[in-house]
Amino acid sequence: MIFSIVVHASPASSQAAATALRFAAAVLRGGHGIERLFFLADGVGNACSLTVTARDETDLQERWRELIREHGIKAGVCVSSAIRRGVVDAQQAQRHELAGASLHPEFAIAGLGELLEACARSDRVVSFG
Amino acid sequence: MIFSIVVHASPASSQAAATALRFAAAVLRGGHGIERLFFLADGVGNACSLTVTARDETDLQERWRELIREHGIKAGVCVSSAIRRGVVDAQQAQRHELAGASLHPEFAIAGLGELLEACARSDRVVSFG
Amino acid sequence: MKRSKKLLFVARSAPYGSARARTLLDVVLAAAVFEQDAAMLFLGDGVYQLSNHQDGSAVSAKTLGKSLAALPLYGIGKLFAEAAALPERGLELGELALPVEPLCNRQIRELFERADVVFNL
Amino acid sequence: MKRSKKLLFVARSAPYGSARARTLLDVVLAAAVFEQDAAMLFLGDGVYQLSNHQDGSAVSAKTLGKSLAALPLYGIGKLFAEAAALPERGLELGELALPVEPLCNRQIRELFERADVVFNL
Amino acid sequence: MSCLHLLSKSPASGLLELASKALVPGDALLLLEDGVYFQSQPQQLAALPAGVTIHFLEQDLLARGLHGALPENAGRIDYDGLVELCIRHDKTTSWF
Amino acid sequence: MSCLHLLSKSPASGLLELASKALVPGDALLLLEDGVYFQSQPQQLAALPAGVTIHFLEQDLLARGLHGALPENAGRIDYDGLVELCIRHDKTTSWF
């Protein structure tokens, strides 16, 4: 079965990001596919490359990257949510004359059309926030 | 009278950041002083230098900077809240080998001791979140 | 893009205090642009989004009710509201920012049953 | 740092689901380090923070109850809980992660009245 | 010592019930942001102890299209009035 | 078509009352994150329509020290069980 997973919450403020990650791992463990991860609203914090995690805490950003890399999953970050929250890729940083990029390269800036396309292509869409 | 203002919310997700800014302006307009602005939890987003605001929307980050600059207000950003959310100054970026800084220079990384000191020195502490 | 799925958008947050209403509306508008089969239900505090005479400029925000009023023009014609939530919140059906069909609890359950994907914010 | 002010920390959020409980605790611990006159009240859902047998590792988090139990060692001795909230949430006074004094509604109001600064999260 | 309570969530949040446990006569309740929706659902406000003054933040009422009458005993204030309220009470606390 | 409802906030949030308007017999309710606190306040669950199955996410119960009995008719599942639940129902929606 094909899933898409939508994440609305930042790992720093809500457990929902960790829940979504565990759910994604269970989907793959069960032999199912993930059409797309989509990060919306405060969920864009999961894709930020400038976070620092205390040594005795779980680095959720890093765990997302591992999951995406190992399984070749598409991970989209809503463009309008992201730019308002300072999560930008190199191209946007240049266009808007910002000091640098803050989106980790495992993630890609995406429009909401890609979320809707993921819905059309998935058997189940599950949101966490 | 001396106020300190604590901001818990990001401008992208909650009205509270805009409320805090208007309140701060009213405090100054009333002839009162602001001992310190303190940004905590998701409030650190107010100090991020990498955000982009749509042309027909208010750039709250920029309005905080103007207020801080014009009135010479101390603006502290809670260090542990900030690093988890990818808001880091140049020194932290270097120490943690991050791609760049994302804290606007009008704000300073601060410990919670500075929040408590602000409380001790203020007649009123008002929180927005 | 395939268009076979029925999308249901459940707006259940009051506007302005948080960005939730605006975020959901952005997704609804995208669904309209991509010609998806979309319905929108205002539930609980979400009916406050329908309040007439909103003026976002008082809090330096865009007026949500005005953006919602454009939905029929975008082809989103299936607009529903929880009937009971309106009078509970001092709203009258004839005085809303956009025309919606009031649904009783049974009709709300039917709307959920018919949907293929439910966004809920 | 001056120490004349009475700080009241009102913990009113359940732990783990959001970072609120942890954020407030960080401020309380800082108040202890700076030897402030601090009291802490667990109110409403906040009493869930006192639940015994918590194990944050089940959700890859630090165990909040364990951190709270260190408060008396840090010199934060004024620990209170809303008496009515405990049985409402299935908690018993004798089986909590740290010893707290239960307060009736009148005592809660008195605690607020005595405070100079109230953090509430 | 009296306290100004800022409450910024809608009646559905249940926060007023929690704040009520701390409200004493002489305190003030400021309803702001989504807290101004209490204008249209004033039932819970009637249960507050006597001697608590109630205030609605004007700009938040306007944004939300809440032009109806306020509950009895409640007033509307702007940001300058909010600063004055902070000064008139010995401390503030925020319910959000 | 049946729906799996994910609910992740505590009973005090009032979200269950809202979700109830959409729950039909054959649907499932998954309580996760702070939603597992319904274990200690099960009164609202008793009011759900018959034919709605109730599930608690095990890891969230453990984290919060909720070792007591679950309400009658409710079961506990892990993440693999959650994936199975998603498959068994035609769609999901999340109340947060």
Side-chain angles (χ1 to χ4, degrees):
Chain A
M1 216 168 224
I2 306 296
F3 286 76
S4 278
I5 297 171
V6 187
V7 184
H8 291 255
S10 143
S13 304
S14 162
Q15 193 197 338
T19 304
L21 179 78
R22 285 179 174 223
F23 178 74
V27 165
L28 298 167
R29 198 162 56 230
H32 306 290
I34 295 180
E35 165 67 24
R36 186 178 277 271
L37 303 171
F38 199 87
F39 297 88
L40 193 63
D42 284 348
V44 302
N46 291 280
C48 181
S49 62
L50 303 180
T51 59
V52 180
T53 307
R55 242 171 251 180
D56 55 350
E57 290 174 21
T58 304
D59 186 341
L60 213 71
Q61 280 88 353
E62 179 54 32
R63 292 201 47 211
W64 279 119
R65 290 168 206 158
E66 287 166 11
L67 186 95
I68 293 165
R69 209 181 301 127
E70 283 173 21
H71 298 273
I73 300 170
K74 282 181 282 183
V77 173
C78 168
V79 56
S80 64
S81 298
I83 59 168
R84 286 158 207 258
R85 290 167 178 84
V87 176
V88 290
D89 66 11
Q91 202 186 328
Q92 290 172 315
Q94 197 174 13
R95 183 179 341 137
H96 297 288
E97 300 178 0
L98 302 170
S102 52
L103 180 79
H104 195 278
E106 301 286 356
F107 299 80
I109 294 290
L112 288 168
E114 293 175 61
L115 168 61
L116 295 164
E117 199 172 308
C119 293
R121 292 188 181 167
S122 304
D123 301 302
R124 296 292 182 274
V125 181
V126 190
S127 298
F128 296 92
Chain B
M1 214 168 224
I2 306 298
F3 286 77
S4 279
I5 297 171
V6 187
V7 184
H8 291 255
S10 143
S13 304
S14 162
Q15 194 197 337
T19 304
L21 178 78
R22 286 180 173 223
F23 178 74
V27 165
L28 298 167
R29 196 162 57 232
H32 307 289
I34 296 180
E35 166 66 24
R36 185 177 279 270
L37 303 171
F38 199 87
F39 297 88
L40 193 62
D42 284 346
V44 302
N46 291 281
C48 182
S49 61
L50 304 180
T51 59
V52 180
T53 307
R55 241 170 253 179
D56 55 350
E57 289 173 21
T58 305
D59 187 341
L60 213 71
Q61 280 88 353
E62 179 55 32
R63 292 201 47 211
W64 278 119
R65 292 168 204 156
E66 288 165 12
L67 187 95
I68 292 165
R69 207 181 301 127
E70 281 173 21
H71 298 272
I73 300 171
K74 282 181 282 183
V77 173
C78 168
V79 56
S80 63
S81 297
I83 60 168
R84 286 159 206 257
R85 290 167 178 82
V87 176
V88 291
D89 65 12
Q91 201 187 329
Q92 290 172 315
Q94 197 175 12
R95 182 180 342 139
H96 298 288
E97 301 179 1
L98 303 171
S102 52
L103 179 80
H104 195 278
E106 301 286 355
F107 299 80
I109 295 290
L112 288 168
E114 292 174 62
L115 169 60
L116 295 163
E117 199 170 309
C119 292
R121 291 188 181 166
S122 304
D123 301 302
R124 296 290 182 276
V125 181
V126 189
S127 297
F128 296 92
Chain C
M1 200 180 293
K2 285 195 292 185
R3 198 190 176 273
S4 53
K5 290 203 176 164
K6 284 189 204 314
L7 308 183
L8 173 60
F9 295 94
V10 183
R12 58 172 165 85
S13 307
Y16 302 108
S18 83
R20 284 170 169 246
R22 177 63 61 180
T23 302
L24 187 70
L25 178 59
D26 284 347
V27 186
V28 176
L29 289 172
V33 168
F34 290 95
E35 298 185 325
Q36 301 293 295
D37 180 353
M40 191 167 183
L41 168 67
F42 297 88
L43 187 71
D45 271 1
V47 299
Y48 280 131
Q49 298 182 26
L50 301 169
S51 179
N52 217 335
H53 311 300
Q54 293 173 43
D55 176 13
S57 72
V59 295
S60 310
K62 282 197 258 188
T63 300
L64 187 86
K66 219 172 272 178
S67 312
L68 286 173
L71 285 173
L73 307 177
Y74 278 88
I76 306 280
K78 296 181 207 158
L79 297 165
F80 307 101
E82 180 195 355
L86 293 167
E88 279 169 14
R89 287 164 181 77
L91 295 168
E92 282 184 44
L93 198 56
E95 299 179 348
L96 299 178
L98 74 164
V100 294
E101 185 185 329
L103 301 185
C104 68
N105 287 356
R106 182 184 51 76
Q107 292 170 307
I108 290 171
R109 290 193 290 268
E110 285 168 4
L111 190 62
F112 270 82
E113 283 200 87
R114 282 198 301 274
D116 294 303
V117 178
V118 185
F119 287 99
N120 180 327
L121 201 63
Chain D
M1 201 181 293
K2 284 195 293 186
R3 199 191 175 272
S4 54
K5 290 204 177 164
K6 284 189 206 312
L7 308 183
L8 173 61
F9 295 94
V10 183
R12 57 172 165 84
S13 307
Y16 302 109
S18 84
R20 284 169 169 246
R22 177 62 60 181
T23 302
L24 187 70
L25 178 59
D26 284 347
V27 186
V28 176
L29 289 172
V33 168
F34 290 95
E35 299 185 324
Q36 301 293 295
D37 180 352
M40 190 167 185
L41 168 67
F42 297 88
L43 187 72
D45 271 1
V47 300
Y48 280 131
Q49 299 182 26
L50 301 169
S51 180
N52 217 334
H53 311 300
Q54 292 173 42
D55 177 13
S57 72
V59 296
S60 310
K62 283 197 260 187
T63 301
L64 188 86
K66 218 172 272 179
S67 311
L68 285 173
L71 285 174
L73 307 177
Y74 278 89
I76 306 280
K78 295 181 207 158
L79 297 165
F80 306 102
E82 180 194 355
L86 293 166
E88 279 168 14
R89 286 165 182 78
L91 296 169
E92 282 183 46
L93 198 57
E95 300 178 348
L96 299 178
L98 73 163
V100 294
E101 185 184 331
L103 301 185
C104 70
N105 288 356
R106 181 184 51 75
Q107 292 170 308
I108 289 171
R109 290 193 291 268
E110 285 168 4
L111 191 61
F112 270 82
E113 283 201 86
R114 282 199 301 274
D116 294 303
V117 178
V118 184
F119 287 99
N120 181 328
L121 202 63
Chain E
M1 295 198 304
S2 75
C3 183
L4 168 65
H5 297 257
L6 291 81
L7 197 156
S8 54
K9 301 293 174 208
S10 97
S13 69
L15 265 182
L16 184 60
E17 199 192 329
L18 208 61
S20 297
K21 298 179 198 271
L23 278 159
V24 295
D27 281 1
L29 174 65
L30 173 74
L31 299 165
L32 75 166
E33 300 174 16
D34 288 349
V36 299
Y37 285 117
F38 277 100
Q39 184 271 334
S40 72
Q41 290 174 269
Q43 305 87 334
Q44 294 179 50
L45 293 176
L48 291 181
V52 172
T53 62
I54 303 171
H55 311 266
F56 285 81
L57 194 60
E58 171 105 61
Q59 283 88 340
D60 286 319
L61 287 168
L62 290 175
R64 290 161 181 81
L66 298 168
H67 296 286
L70 299 183
E72 225 183 319
N73 305 326
R76 71 182 70 214
I77 59 169
D78 59 10
Y79 278 89
D80 295 332
L82 171 51
V83 173
E84 285 305 311
L85 262 188
C86 290
I87 293 169
R88 215 146 65 220
H89 295 275
D90 300 299
K91 65 204 167 218
T92 77
T93 195
S94 302
W95 304 88
F96 57 82
Chain F
M1 295 197 303
S2 76
C3 183
L4 168 65
H5 298 257
L6 291 81
L7 196 155
S8 54
K9 300 294 173 207
S10 97
S13 70
L15 265 182
L16 184 61
E17 200 193 329
L18 208 61
S20 297
K21 297 177 198 273
L23 279 159
V24 295
D27 281 1
L29 175 65
L30 172 74
L31 299 165
L32 75 165
E33 299 175 15
D34 288 347
V36 300
Y37 285 117
F38 277 100
Q39 184 271 334
S40 72
Q41 290 173 270
Q43 306 87 334
Q44 293 178 51
L45 293 175
L48 292 181
V52 172
T53 62
I54 303 171
H55 311 266
F56 285 80
L57 194 60
E58 171 105 58
Q59 283 87 340
D60 285 319
L61 287 168
L62 290 175
R64 290 159 180 82
L66 298 168
H67 296 287
L70 299 184
E72 227 183 316
N73 306 327
R76 72 183 69 215
I77 59 170
D78 61 10
Y79 278 89
D80 295 331
L82 171 52
V83 173
E84 286 305 311
L85 262 188
C86 291
I87 292 169
R88 215 147 66 221
H89 295 274
D90 300 298
K91 65 201 168 222
T92 76
T93 194
S94 302
W95 304 88
F96 57 82

